[in-house]
């Protein structure tokens, strides 16, 4: 009985935080649209819409991709609207801002290092907006095929350099269930092979490495 109460209380806290996170994120998206700043929503904020309940897909932070030329203007707009710049956790091509306890990671690049010496992953993911489409004024999302390829790459990078948890593993089957045969799987396969990640994906999700 005590355990049930504790679990129920934890779920309520999680759900309240998730709702707060979504409200502040939508407020930020509206602020960016109002100021005509192109931005790509990706990873957890998009993926959570594919889960049976949004709250099941938790997020430590919200990832947003912008163009390099908008960095300074965006910084000023965020500071003027009550966002705190987290200099300690900002580095390279990632800048962190916090509002009401909600953390936003603003990216210029989503991939900052390579896994293999002979595969330019950083260059492959350089032009983010080339692989994105408008969903609302200046708000973009990645095309599904590219988003899938990025999710596999993101997981591989974590696997190589720091490790990853169950959440990343669950995102892929949830993504596949959402898009299924609507994905161009030939395109996905060809590009995963270019990145040397096709066998990695097959080992994770089919238990058998693919033959070249």
């Amino acid at each position: 009985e005590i355990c049930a109460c504790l679990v129920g209380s934890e779920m309520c806290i999680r759900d309240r935080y998730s709702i707060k996170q979504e409200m502040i994120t939508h407020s930020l998206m509206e602020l960016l649209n109002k100021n005509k700043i192109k931005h790509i929503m990706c990873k957890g904020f998009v993926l959570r819409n594919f889960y049976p309940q949004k709250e099941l897909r938790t997020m430590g932070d919200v990832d947003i991709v912008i163009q390099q030329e908008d960095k300074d203007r965006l910084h000023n707009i965020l500071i003027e609207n009550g966002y705190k710049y987290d200099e300690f956790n900002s580095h390279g091509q990632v800048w962190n801002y916090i509002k009401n306890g909600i953390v936003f990671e603003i990216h210029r690049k989503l991939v900052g290092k390579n896994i293999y010496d002979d595969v330019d992953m950083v260059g492959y993911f350089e032009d983010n907006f080339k692989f994105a489409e408008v969903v609302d004024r200046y708000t973009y999302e990645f095309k599904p095929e590219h988003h899938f390829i990025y999710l596999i790459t993101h997981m591989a990078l974590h696997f190589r350099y720091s490790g990853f948890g169950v959440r990343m593993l669950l995102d892929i089957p949830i993504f596949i269930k959402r898009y299924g045969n609507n994905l161009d799987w030939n395109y996905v396969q060809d590009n995963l092979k270019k990145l040397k990640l096709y066998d990695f994906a097959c080992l994770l999700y089919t238990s058998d490495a693919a033959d070249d």
Side-chain angles (χ1 to χ4, degrees):
E1 200 171 307
I2 294 175
C3 289
C5 289
L6 289 173
V7 170
S9 176
E10 188 172 326
M11 289 176 66
C12 286
I13 293 171
R14 180 202 67 190
D15 291 352
R16 285 200 299 269
Y17 180 81
S18 179
I19 292 168
K20 175 184 175 183
Q21 191 177 48
E22 183 163 12
M23 289 177 62
I24 294 177
T25 301
H26 279 292
S27 175
L28 174 55
M29 291 163 64
E30 184 57 35
L31 182 64
L32 298 182
N33 278 315
K34 178 182 176 182
N35 286 278
K36 300 181 179 180
I37 294 178
K38 289 183 178 181
H39 55 284
I40 302 172
M41 307 303 298
C42 61
K43 295 168 63 177
F45 188 76
V46 174
L47 294 170
R48 68 199 306 267
N49 294 302
F50 307 156
Y51 279 71
Q53 292 179 284
K54 288 183 179 182
E55 293 76 21
L56 293 174
R57 179 44 166 95
T58 58
M59 297 182 292
D61 53 60
V62 180
D63 295 279
I64 301 176
V65 183
I66 65 164
Q67 297 173 307
Q68 178 66 38
E69 57 264 33
D70 290 324
K71 176 182 179 293
D72 292 338
R73 189 161 70 94
L74 173 64
H75 175 81
N76 292 332
I77 290 170
L78 292 180
I79 297 302
E80 289 170 4
N81 284 273
Y83 291 80
K84 179 184 176 183
Y85 178 54
D86 180 7
E87 185 174 3
F88 181 79
N89 289 305
S90 298
H91 54 86
Q93 299 290 330
V94 183
W95 313 291
N96 282 24
Y97 293 86
I98 303 171
K99 185 167 186 178
N100 296 340
I102 305 301
V103 180
F104 295 93
E105 279 197 355
I106 310 297
H107 299 260
R108 159 62 185 90
K109 294 182 179 180
L110 283 171
V111 174
K113 63 180 83 172
N114 295 315
I115 295 176
Y116 307 107
D117 292 337
D118 59 342
V119 179
D120 184 12
M121 289 181 174
V122 175
Y124 180 91
F125 290 96
E126 174 70 25
D127 189 359
N128 294 297
F129 284 86
K130 176 182 176 181
F131 300 102
E133 50 195 2
V134 177
V135 293
D136 176 29
R137 292 169 290 169
Y138 294 88
T139 301
Y140 290 68
E141 289 180 9
F142 285 128
K143 297 173 184 176
E145 289 82 3
H146 186 73
H147 204 170
F148 183 87
I149 293 165
Y150 171 68
L151 292 173
I152 295 293
T153 304
H154 182 60
M155 195 185 309
L157 284 163
H158 271 271
F159 181 77
R160 170 65 177 82
Y161 292 107
S162 59
F164 61 82
V166 174
R167 185 168 59 189
M168 285 190 187
L169 283 170
L170 286 175
D171 282 344
I172 300 301
I174 291 288
F175 192 95
I176 292 172
K177 183 178 180 181
R178 168 65 177 81
Y179 287 105
N181 292 329
N182 291 321
L183 284 180
D184 183 345
W185 287 107
N186 289 328
Y187 175 88
V188 170
Q189 176 176 303
D190 289 346
N191 282 271
L192 286 177
K193 286 183 175 179
K194 288 178 184 176
L195 295 168
K196 287 191 174 182
L197 294 178
Y198 185 58
D199 282 357
F200 172 77
C202 289
L203 283 167
L204 282 175
Y205 295 103
T206 68
S207 75
D208 288 309
D211 294 326
D212 285 330

